[in-house]
Amino acid sequence: MTCFLCSPGGLLSGSIRVPGDKSISHRSIILSSIADGVSHISGFLEGEDSLNTLKAFQSMGVVINRNAGQIVVHGVGLKGLKAPTRKMDMGNSGTAMRLLLGLLAGQDFDSQLIGDESLSTRPMNRVIKPLESMGAKIGSQDGGTAPLSIKGDSHLKAIDYDLPMASAQVKSCILLAGLYAEGETVVREPAPTRDHSERMLRGFGCDVISNGNEIRMAGLQSLKATDIDVPADISSAAFFMVAASIAPNSEIKLEHVGVNPTRTGVINILRLMGADISLDNQKNVGGEPVVDITVRSARLKGIVIPKELVPLAIDEFPVLFVAAACADGETLLTGAEELRVKESDRIQAMADGLNILGIDARPTVDGIRIQGGILNGGEVESHGDHRIAMAFSVASLRAKFEIKINNCANVNTSFPGFVELASNAGLRIVSHD
Ligand code: S3P
């Protein structure tokens, strides 16, 4: 079992580029595989999650060449995928499983999706139900979990669907199925969620109309190959934003970070807490805004996190809870019940670990109440959740004693090279197998 030993203290300095955006990397493989022509992808995240998506498309007959972060995808067209010879293993990735399920529901061949222990407990009915109402035939385990089996040749019909929860995975799953459906698919979201699918579909020449909370897209549109530059992942950059904020005398520059407005909740929440964050050098890269982010140490204060920011920072809460633990006063999060069905129950996992470190953190049904205080040291569990492991590594910057974090191998799902990059930036982490 890989564990991280984090020595207390340290300060952040220098300029780093964190790996490519996970959400955009998954989508870049999916859409370029079903496009007509050859697409080149640079900045691709070579983490386990997005590589599982890549392997799935290779197993469906797509020729994909990889060379040091440069990916060349020989698209087979909307109807060109072939039946995979084996079950497709999505590992730890909810995004891969839910997005592929939508796409596979529209194929003329049968397929099966499996995942690791964590993924096999995550709720899939949120995608199975709308897909079934489009005509898909999907088999799942009791309670709607993976392994999933998908029947081919289902002749999907477009759907008009109000999403019951703010989920970009569910939205994207339905849009991908909608590509294979007769008629116009309409999805309405209860709150804005990341819109990488819509932006990238447009980049591949699809007509996708977003109007307020509604997205409309006609089925059976063909995609034209295009080149994609994947920005650095704001969700990975977030660990360093909090790190530089809480560690005294720190200043770090994070290069080429994607700041799609549906992902910038972490910046807004940290600024409300008093963080010193500046954005420079704004560019538009393939329909996605990108900036360099500079973060300096600041005295943080506890806040009531505005509910509307929750879906826009959904993956950043583990490390935001560490910021809250280092802030003056109390931080209150509500409306975040989705955190309980991520790679782990992130509310419970963080509360348990923060309590072990000496912080008063009290979970609620849909959030948490954290009283800023002194972080001691101790042994915490990541529950195999990459973001919990990295969040507690950041906590060591303000801890009095060593923090040992168990079960950290899954950091490779989203952030290969985390220990090296974080060590170069100033954290004191050693990884042990
Ligand atoms: C993702 C959407 C989010 C997020 C996940 C990636 C995506 O999940 O937590 O890490 O790429 O669409 P939900 O849409 O289920 O909230």
Side-chain angles (χ1 to χ4, degrees):
M1 186 176 76
T2 304
C3 68
F4 289 171
L5 290 181
C6 307
S7 301
L11 63 86
L12 278 279
S13 64
S15 186
I16 58 172
R17 178 165 172 164
V18 300
D21 188 283
K22 185 147 74 75
S23 295
I24 297 178
S25 293
H26 283 299
R27 287 157 173 83
S28 69
I29 294 292
I30 297 172
L31 296 187
S32 58
S33 291
I34 57 168
D36 295 311
V38 178
S39 299
H40 298 83
I41 307 168
S42 56
F44 182 77
L45 169 65
E46 300 200 61
E48 286 166 11
D49 278 7
S50 35
L51 288 173
N52 282 331
T53 293
L54 185 152
K55 286 180 206 149
F57 282 90
Q58 286 177 323
S59 78
M60 290 188 281
V62 183
V63 174
I64 307 178
N65 303 317
R66 257 173 84 189
N67 189 2
Q70 295 285 328
I71 311 281
V72 182
V73 182
H74 297 260
V76 294
L78 200 60
K79 300 281 175 85
L81 295 174
K82 303 228 163 35
T85 46
R86 277 177 274 120
K87 295 176 183 171
M88 289 183 280
D89 189 352
M90 301 296 104
N92 193 241
S93 177
T95 309
M97 184 167 277
R98 296 196 178 109
L99 270 56
L100 259 79
L101 188 65
L103 177 117
L104 291 169
Q107 305 304 315
D108 56 13
F109 51 80
D110 297 350
S111 53
Q112 284 170 292
L113 292 174
I114 57 171
D116 71 5
E117 209 184 312
S118 150
L119 185 52
S120 303
T121 65
R122 293 182 66 188
M124 293 296 148
N125 276 339
R126 54 179 60 197
V127 278
I128 294 173
K129 296 296 169 207
L131 291 173
E132 282 177 344
S133 56
M134 297 174 83
K137 294 179 197 73
I138 297 165
S140 64
Q141 310 309 301
D142 289 346
T145 51
L148 304 174
S149 56
I150 304 107
K151 197 98 198 81
D153 244 346
S154 292
H155 302 288
L156 301 185
K157 296 259 179 319
I159 190 176
D160 182 317
Y161 192 65
D162 288 333
L163 293 174
M165 73 286 289
S167 167
Q169 292 182 357
V170 179
K171 170 177 67 174
S172 303
C173 165
I174 296 170
L175 289 175
L176 286 168
L179 264 184
Y180 290 89
E182 239 173 75
E184 188 184 46
T185 290
V186 183
V187 189
R188 268 171 238 98
E189 13 184 37
T193 67
R194 64 192 70 195
D195 64 355
H196 304 300
S197 299
E198 298 91 300
R199 286 175 190 244
M200 200 181 286
L201 279 162
R202 287 186 201 110
F204 278 91
C206 271
D207 198 11
V208 180
I209 300 156
S210 300
N211 186 7
N213 68 340
E214 185 177 277
I215 301 114
R216 311 179 81 90
M217 187 196 70
L220 307 174
Q221 300 187 51
S222 57
L223 281 65
K224 281 178 255 2
T226 187
D227 291 347
I228 297 169
D229 175 357
V230 181
D233 197 330
I234 189 167
S235 299
S236 297
F239 297 104
F240 296 95
M241 291 184 211
V242 172
S245 297
I246 64 171
N249 305 316
S250 294
E251 173 170 338
I252 190 133
K253 183 170 174 185
L254 302 160
E255 299 159 14
H256 204 72
V257 181
V259 283
N260 179 314
T262 58
R263 296 284 299 280
T264 47
V266 61
I267 297 177
N268 297 330
I269 292 170
L270 283 173
R271 280 182 169 159
L272 289 173
M273 296 177 80
D276 178 351
I277 302 178
S278 53
L279 312 184
D280 306 290
N281 199 15
Q282 168 133 18
K283 308 192 256 280
N284 184 303
V285 175
E288 294 278 352
V290 170
V291 296
D292 294 333
I293 302 179
T294 302
V295 187
R296 296 180 189 85
S297 320
R299 185 164 184 162
L300 301 182
K301 60 174 192 298
I303 59 164
V304 175
I305 297 176
K307 261 192 183 170
E308 65 276 12
L309 293 180
V310 171
L312 312 181
I314 195 67
D315 290 337
E316 288 69 69
F317 283 109
V319 78
L320 283 169
F321 296 168
V322 171
C326 296
D328 295 334
E330 184 179 270
T331 295
L332 176 65
L333 172 69
T334 57
E337 56 279 1
E338 280 294 305
L339 291 181
R340 292 201 178 271
V341 289
K342 295 293 180 190
E343 286 83 329
S344 68
D345 175 344
R346 287 182 171 162
I347 292 174
Q348 197 61 49
M350 286 305 299
D352 290 346
L354 288 171
N355 290 162
I356 288 168
L357 299 179
I359 296 293
D360 179 3
R362 297 174 192 208
T364 62
V365 180
D366 66 342
I368 195 165
R369 192 181 281 279
I370 298 172
Q371 189 66 42
I374 308 276
L375 286 155
N376 291 310
E379 183 169 342
V380 299
E381 302 300 324
S382 78
H383 299 277
D385 184 330
H386 54 137
R387 298 203 198 279
I388 304 290
M390 290 185 277
F392 282 120
S393 312
V394 169
S396 65
L397 288 159
R398 284 276 288 271
K400 289 212 296 203
F401 307 105
E402 182 181 84
I403 300 179
K404 180 179 182 205
I405 310 161
N406 290 324
N407 206 354
C408 296
N410 279 341
V411 165
N412 287 329
T413 60
S414 69
F415 202 144
F418 170 73
V419 171
E420 295 72 23
L421 196 67
S423 302
N424 288 341
L427 280 94
R428 299 169 178 171
I429 315 176
V430 180
S431 174
H432 281 278
D433 287 324

